[in-house]
Amino acid sequence: DGKPMKSVPAAVKQDEALAAQLKEARALAREAKSSLSVQKDRIDQMFVDEPSWSSDDHRVAYLDHPLIGPMSRTLIWTVDGVPALYRNDAWEDVTGKAITTAETIGLWHPIQSETEDVLAWRARLEDLEIVQPFKQAHREVYLLTDAEVNTGTYSNRMAAHILKQHQFRALAGLRGWAYSLMGAYDDGRHNETATRPLRVHDLDAQFWIDELPDDESWNDAGIWNFVATDQVRFVRSGTDDIVPVASVPPLAFSEVMRDCDLFVGVASVGNDPTWLDAGTDRTAPARDYWHTYAFGDLSELAKTRKALLASLLPRLKIADRAAIVDNFLEVQGTRHRYRIHIGSTNIQILPNNRYLCIVPGRGKTSVNGFLPFEGDRGLSIVLSKAFMLVEDNKITDPTILSQL
């Protein structure tokens, strides 16, 4: 009768034909979920190509597609150059006004709009309680810096980080980058290049990765556990001809730098609360890096997280016991006051900044309340830790209690 059920009705379980239909429906749902995940990642990586479609082609491939359609209607597109959302069977601009003509449809990127317009779109999605499948309205924008203009041919913005090599390689592959693992064997290599082709622009983006010889840590196959990041460069496709960073199209440059920031933001050892205690004698530079990253400046990804936290906090039940202070979310518990780094999610106990090690579970971390996009697990971890620490008198985990 159309009412959702918490469990499978007995009538379905007892009827062989209905049980078979249910099994088939569940298999189809799993397949659809998997396919939708692939399509979500495909569209998320499509910004750099600055694609466009005729209105008719876009309707067939996106708006009216039985699988992708619902997701497509949560995204902002450009309709003849004007950012728009498809609602109520019509295109609407950021004010909700209908756009009557549509010939060419593109995928909107916030670098294409002024800051006030981007903020207006964020507010519009929030008012409509639209959850985007990935960051679009809240997407980070990376503009060329004076330092990069001065270096001319490369960017050092993402250099000097220590990454978990296997995690970095897996994430790089998901984002369309090619990278070969480096090992503790004498093959003459001391560095490797992660490469992403930018075919539309006839360019290849390169993220240089170096060995970390001071930390003799490798797995059973002789592969280094950790590597260090270096320059980001651009070359003509299939050549070694370096392209000045100022000549790279701004949207392509922004998306490449965002990828590299994502690699650091996810795979950096600074995000691992147990890294210093892993049983390996870390060198002084490595220990210094961990402390600097774990409690230091925020990356662009973390700055976006901070801005979203600022808008979310007043609506949370812990609002009267939490506040954003510099790069931290500070929360008042019963036992102590704590601060959670918005970038690394690591925790310190105030007032003496004593480190508190809490390791997030491997499962999906959920947060009650509206979030405008999917995919930022770090945001969920920050909030889940905040909710836990506000009620630190209810913590029963012996490992955590021993530190309190």
Side-chain angles (χ1 to χ4, degrees):
D1 58 3
K3 295 180 180 179
M5 307 290 291
K6 293 183 179 180
S7 60
V8 178
V12 175
K13 292 180 180 179
Q14 296 166 4
D15 187 296
E16 186 175 337
L18 291 177
Q21 289 181 26
L22 177 61
K23 183 178 179 180
E24 182 180 351
R26 282 176 165 166
L28 182 60
R30 286 193 297 270
E31 183 180 347
K33 185 177 181 180
S34 176
S35 297
L36 193 59
S37 178
V38 171
Q39 293 301 323
K40 178 182 71 173
D41 292 341
R42 178 183 65 84
I43 298 172
D44 188 28
Q45 295 179 46
M46 206 162 53
F47 288 97
V48 72
D49 294 332
E50 301 184 46
S52 64
W53 303 262
S54 69
S55 181
D56 289 341
D57 287 346
H58 182 266
R59 177 170 290 280
V60 172
Y62 291 95
L63 295 181
D64 291 345
H65 192 281
L67 181 67
I68 306 174
M71 179 176 67
S72 302
R73 295 167 191 246
T74 68
L75 297 176
I76 303 167
W77 305 86
T78 57
V79 179
D80 298 334
V82 178
L85 194 66
Y86 196 80
R87 294 184 69 247
N88 304 318
D89 297 323
W91 288 107
E92 296 179 355
D93 66 14
V94 70
T95 67
K97 180 181 177 181
I99 298 175
T100 55
T101 60
E103 294 185 7
T104 303
I105 311 298
L107 184 60
W108 177 78
H109 190 286
I111 203 172
Q112 299 165 337
S113 298
E114 299 295 331
T115 301
E116 56 267 27
D117 296 325
V118 175
L119 295 176
W121 271 113
R122 292 180 183 179
R124 175 70 170 158
L125 295 178
E126 187 173 329
D127 289 342
L128 297 173
E129 294 193 353
I130 291 177
V131 178
Q132 296 195 299
F134 48 77
K135 287 184 183 178
Q136 186 190 26
H138 291 78
R139 203 172 190 85
E140 298 78 16
V141 171
Y142 298 78
L143 302 177
L144 205 63
T145 65
D146 291 341
E148 288 158 347
V149 172
N150 291 334
T151 56
T153 57
Y154 62 90
S155 168
N156 267 336
R157 201 186 312 192
M158 304 301 170
H161 290 279
I162 301 175
L163 308 185
K164 295 181 178 181
Q165 185 175 202
H166 292 84
Q167 188 175 22
F168 162 65
R169 186 202 187 194
L171 185 58
L174 290 174
R175 297 295 302 172
W177 293 71
Y179 173 75
S180 297
L181 292 170
M182 291 190 291
Y185 33 74
D186 186 17
D187 63 353
R189 283 192 308 159
H190 299 288
N191 55 66
E192 183 58 61
T193 301
T195 304
R196 177 179 177 178
L198 310 173
R199 296 182 179 87
V200 170
H201 306 290
D202 192 32
L203 296 172
D204 289 337
Q206 297 181 340
F207 191 17
W208 290 12
I209 305 296
D210 299 329
E211 287 185 347
L212 201 61
D214 291 336
D215 193 325
E216 296 185 359
S217 177
W218 55 81
N219 65 10
D220 292 341
I223 302 298
W224 293 113
N225 290 323
F226 310 108
V227 291
T229 64
D230 205 327
Q231 302 173 358
V232 176
R233 289 180 180 252
F234 296 84
V235 299
R236 288 294 169 196
S237 293
T239 74
D240 294 324
D241 298 337
I242 300 174
V243 177
V245 290
S247 300
V248 178
L251 195 155
F253 178 84
S254 182
E255 284 297 292
V256 167
M257 297 305 291
R258 183 178 184 269
D259 273 357
C260 296
D261 199 1
L262 179 66
F263 301 153
V264 172
V266 174
S268 170
V269 298
N271 295 318
D272 184 351
T274 66
W275 187 68
L276 287 180
D277 302 319
T280 302
D281 184 18
R282 306 300 183 197
T283 62
R287 290 196 303 270
D288 291 344
Y289 167 77
W290 187 90
H291 284 288
T292 300
Y293 185 89
F295 300 108
D297 294 337
L298 299 182
S299 67
E300 292 300 319
L301 291 168
K303 289 175 183 177
T304 300
R305 186 179 299 161
K306 179 180 177 180
L308 183 55
L309 273 172
S311 66
L312 288 174
L313 200 54
R315 290 175 282 164
L316 300 177
K317 68 177 184 179
I318 62 170
D320 60 337
R321 302 183 69 182
I324 295 175
V325 180
D326 296 328
N327 298 329
F328 299 85
L329 177 63
E330 291 194 2
V331 297
Q332 181 63 57
T334 301
R335 301 169 182 264
H336 304 283
R337 186 169 182 83
Y338 309 87
R339 62 179 197 166
I340 308 166
H341 192 262
I342 295 172
S344 68
T345 77
N346 285 307
I347 307 167
Q348 291 177 325
I349 303 175
L350 297 174
N352 59 351
N353 295 343
R354 180 160 53 91
Y355 179 58
L356 173 61
C357 179
I358 296 181
V359 181
R362 292 184 177 274
K364 184 177 180 181
T365 304
S366 60
V367 175
N368 293 327
F370 170 75
L371 295 179
F373 54 81
E374 300 176 9
D376 187 352
R377 187 168 186 265
L379 175 62
S380 299
I381 291 174
V382 169
L383 288 173
S384 63
K385 286 182 176 181
F387 276 92
M388 173 191 290
L389 294 172
V390 162
E391 297 184 327
D392 57 0
N393 59 317
K394 297 182 180 179
I395 293 174
T396 58
D397 186 295
T399 303
I400 299 175
L401 285 175
S402 66
Q403 301 176 74
L404 298 180

